[in-house]
Amino acid sequence: MGKTNTNLVVNPEATGQRSETVRRANLSTIVRELHLRGPLSRSELVSTTGLSRGAIRGLIGELVAEGLVREERSAPVGTPGRPSPLVRPQHDGAVVLALAIAVDSLAAALVGFGGQVIDEVRVDRTRGHLAAERITADLASLALPLLRRHAVGDALIGVGVAMAGVVRLSDGLVRVAPNLGWEDVPLGDMLARRLNLGVPVHVANEADLGALAEHRRGAAVGVDDILYVYGEVGVGGGVLIGGQPLIGAAGYAGEVGHLPVNPAGIECRCGSTGCWETEVGERALLRRAGSGTASGSAAVDAIIAAAENGSPEELGAVRETGTWLGIGLAGLVNVFNPTLVVLGGVFARMAPVVAPDIQSALDRRALRASREVVKVMPTSLGPEVTVIGAAELAFEPFLADPAAWLSPRTRPLRLKSA
């Protein structure tokens, strides 16, 4: 029996595949930098990516040919030599459709490469347990005219959906949305059929996407350990540890609104008793202010405005809610040890009034070591945070491997002016 040849035999095809893998990874690095940071010179791209000037030049040439970026002259900086060309993302080169489903509103937006919101429409709706079929139809009636108006064509690469509920990330199944009355709704599949756009539809929890938006575009840019807490009718949370989302085994992590905080509390719509949501959500604030029959953001904003003007009843209601907000945050700070807590929704609007109550609760209840490193601040993105997060969700597969999206398609159609 002859000897087996143990010398390494290099397969040229395998070598080519490895080279292609490197090219795709480098292309992803450049595309992600431009998407998140905006226009950068070639020199800046060399510095931030660690790639050689030759590699940058070749890959930027590919992106220019695909219509994803354009190059233009940089302004002189007073140093010898020709300024490095500026590479600018073409917002119409790759576009996503971002959708948001809240308890009392629906939104649809077109967002271009680089994060620019090209067009958006938002409508309020009557609260109630509306069927999923009705809501998906309403979303389509918002989204499809946007797509027709801008003639997106092959530039559309995906759909992202922010949903007020517990969502299975693998297929967009809404396991439960207590404030909408939904259970086991296949939202991803329903929207894919209703829209019929031929691109992937990604669905995630609105608070998880709020955390993503704040990390990429908002108050938490440059911060890798963050907690985002969003409150309106319900309460949700999103967590990033080391810059990575904490989503759990199926995507259900972050349901902070259903932390049990008050054994003597009231029944929650989830079926439990004393959830954090029952102490800090919209209904709790309205109840404390004696407006239990009212509802909606207008009623909440009226209470907050009265509190800011010193009205005793409203001020007491808002500050008691702020104390419960701080109690819950202290527990979350002890568990996750974030460096930044970002407040969204009604919590952001309450922040000027309740900041002392939150700080006091954290001082009393958070571990000193964790308390010393954490700051609390309101969102910098306002009500657009969930739409921005939905857009980033849809962009992520493209950012991870832009070559997979560019190769099969023709040069993207240009958007018409809005």
Side-chain angles (χ1 to χ4, degrees):
M1 186 174 181
K3 288 185 178 181
T4 300
N5 187 347
T6 57
N7 292 334
L8 178 63
V9 177
V10 177
N11 183 333
E13 184 177 345
T15 303
Q17 289 173 347
R18 287 196 293 272
S19 298
E20 173 62 11
T21 299
V22 171
R23 185 189 76 86
R24 293 172 81 123
N26 291 344
L27 195 63
S28 171
T29 299
I30 293 171
V31 167
R32 190 179 293 275
E33 284 290 309
L34 292 169
H35 178 69
L36 297 180
R37 298 184 59 191
L40 295 169
S41 70
R42 284 193 195 175
S43 295
E44 288 172 320
L45 284 168
V46 168
S47 175
T48 59
T49 66
L51 299 175
S52 68
R53 291 183 180 276
I56 292 290
R57 181 171 59 252
L59 294 171
I60 291 300
E62 291 186 42
L63 296 176
V64 170
E66 290 284 356
L68 268 179
V69 304
R70 72 173 186 269
E71 287 194 288
E72 54 192 51
R73 288 186 177 182
S74 296
V77 293
T79 57
R82 180 182 302 173
S84 178
L86 188 69
V87 183
R88 185 178 298 278
Q90 290 282 76
H91 303 302
D92 56 354
V95 180
V96 300
L97 174 63
L99 305 175
I101 303 173
V103 175
D104 55 5
S105 68
L106 299 175
L110 290 179
V111 181
F113 177 47
Q116 178 172 309
V117 177
I118 297 164
D119 201 355
E120 180 180 6
V121 58
R122 182 181 296 271
V123 295
D124 295 330
R125 65 179 188 84
T126 304
R127 292 183 178 181
H129 295 179
L130 294 183
E133 292 82 0
R134 170 72 181 277
I135 289 182
T136 55
D138 290 345
L139 277 174
S141 70
L142 295 179
L144 294 177
L146 282 181
L147 294 166
R148 287 193 293 267
R149 182 157 64 243
H150 293 282
V152 174
D154 287 340
L156 185 70
I157 60 172
V159 179
V161 187
M163 172 67 205
V166 179
V167 180
R168 188 167 68 193
L169 290 180
S170 60
D171 58 1
L173 176 75
V174 179
R175 293 303 309 272
V176 61
N179 294 306
L180 288 170
W182 290 9
E183 287 189 15
D184 292 328
V185 173
L187 181 62
D189 290 341
M190 292 174 67
L191 279 170
R193 289 195 301 270
R194 175 74 68 170
L195 295 170
N196 193 29
L197 296 173
V199 295
V201 176
H202 307 276
V203 186
N205 171 264
E206 64 176 355
D208 289 334
L209 295 182
L212 178 64
E214 293 291 346
H215 185 242
R216 291 189 174 180
R217 306 282 177 192
V221 170
V223 182
D224 284 341
D225 297 286
I226 72 168
L227 169 64
Y228 173 77
V229 181
Y230 177 86
E232 289 292 351
V233 178
V235 175
V239 183
L240 270 71
I241 303 296
Q244 298 300 312
L246 183 65
I247 59 175
Y252 305 152
E255 289 299 321
V256 298
H258 300 288
L259 286 172
V261 297
N262 187 358
I266 65 174
E267 185 176 356
C268 179
R269 288 198 176 194
C270 75
S272 187
T273 300
C275 292
W276 194 29
E277 183 173 300
T278 67
E279 299 294 347
V280 298
E282 175 188 290
R283 295 184 184 92
L285 178 59
L286 292 168
R287 183 180 69 247
R288 293 188 180 110
S291 304
T293 59
S295 65
S297 58
V300 169
D301 288 345
I303 293 171
I304 295 172
E308 289 175 329
N309 290 326
S311 175
E313 185 173 8
E314 285 83 357
L315 181 60
V318 172
R319 295 200 63 178
E320 183 179 352
T321 303
T323 296
W324 278 106
L325 181 58
I327 290 170
L329 289 178
L332 295 171
V333 166
N334 288 345
V335 172
F336 296 116
N337 186 210
T339 53
L340 181 65
V341 175
V342 182
L343 303 177
V346 65
F347 300 152
R349 304 198 297 276
M350 290 169 50
V353 179
V354 302
D357 305 290
I358 293 173
Q359 300 298 337
S360 176
L362 288 172
D363 290 342
R364 290 183 56 202
R365 297 173 183 272
L367 294 169
R368 186 175 69 177
S370 296
R371 177 68 183 97
E372 288 173 349
V373 301
V374 70
K375 294 181 179 179
V376 181
M377 64 185 301
T379 175
S380 63
L381 299 176
E384 302 306 306
V385 62
T386 50
V387 166
I388 294 170
E392 293 300 326
L393 175 70
F395 266 117
E396 185 52 36
F398 170 75
L399 301 179
D401 188 11
W405 297 85
L406 298 178
S407 301
R409 67 183 196 152
T410 59
R411 188 181 180 90
L413 298 177
R414 292 285 164 246
L415 299 178
K416 297 177 181 177
S417 298

